[in-house]
Amino acid sequence: IFPNGPGLMMWATKDTAFVHAQCQVWNDWAWEICGPHKKRCNPAAALATADIDASIKEVERVAKMGYRILTLPSKPVYGPPDVSDPNYNLAMYDRLWAAIQDADLAITYHVSTGRDPRGARSAGGAIINYVVHSLSPTIEPIVNMCSAGVFDRFPKLRAGTIEANAGWITWM
């Protein structure tokens, strides 16, 4: 169970503390609603990944609550590409990957969580936005993790994309 629709907007700001607070509110609410039914429901805990120390604390907290899966934004910092922003291929994230692996939590990356997917207007805009600005960016974290050897260093780490369809598999 993911924070779909308006819930995906919790990552849509560069304000790290605000994103983290929104994720905590989602995590508390989702567990309150779904936790008693965890044999039938599997809510995904939302994680704000721009502040690694806060992320690790939240991983530990949601693991103790009983969560089994996390959902992370496709990019640690929301917005258009900026080479000065951190990304999941950097060694600075190894502490987070270790915490997630140690907690035995799976990772998901949901479409439309790295940047605003409404990049095109007019004729064909809906298809362009869906394919280019929503689906395609969802492969970025997986490519970052594979190319940087994250899965070699953390062999029990599990990650996948959500609602990104499978067209990107041929590129990989």
Side-chain angles (χ1 to χ4, degrees):
I1 299 170
F2 298 96
N4 283 341
L8 292 176
M9 296 306 290
M10 75 175 76
W11 291 287
T13 178
K14 289 185 178 279
D15 184 334
T16 303
F18 186 53
V19 174
H20 182 70
Q22 289 184 99
C23 288
Q24 286 184 312
V25 167
W26 161 264
N27 296 340
D28 291 341
W29 176 83
W31 196 253
E32 179 183 330
I33 298 300
C34 300
H37 312 286
K38 64 183 175 186
K39 289 184 180 180
R40 292 178 301 173
C41 296
N42 193 15
L47 196 62
T49 54
D51 179 339
I52 296 170
D53 291 331
S55 297
I56 291 169
K57 287 179 185 173
E58 188 66 0
V59 165
E60 293 167 350
R61 186 178 86 90
V62 298
K64 286 179 186 171
M65 291 170 74
Y67 275 97
R68 299 178 298 230
I69 191 167
L70 300 168
T71 189
L72 282 62
S74 293
K75 291 173 34 187
V77 177
Y78 186 83
D82 183 343
V83 295
S84 64
D85 286 341
N87 220 330
Y88 297 128
N89 63 317
L90 301 176
M92 63 190 276
Y93 278 94
D94 281 359
R95 294 184 308 121
L96 178 60
W97 306 139
I100 293 170
Q101 178 178 263
D102 291 348
D104 193 30
L105 296 169
I107 299 169
T108 62
Y109 296 102
H110 199 287
V111 296
S112 303
T113 57
R115 67 178 189 211
D116 189 336
R118 299 168 297 174
R121 299 181 321 171
S122 194
I127 299 300
I128 294 165
N129 290 335
Y130 179 64
V131 174
V132 177
H133 303 292
S134 189
L135 297 181
S136 294
T138 311
I139 71 168
E140 184 177 346
I142 301 296
V143 172
N144 279 319
M145 295 173 80
C146 288
S147 64
V150 170
F151 296 108
D152 294 329
R153 290 191 305 283
F154 303 96
K156 293 183 181 176
L157 200 62
R158 298 161 291 150
T161 63
I162 302 301
E163 293 192 60
N165 297 326
W168 58 270
I169 291 174
T170 55
W171 302 348
M172 293 288 290

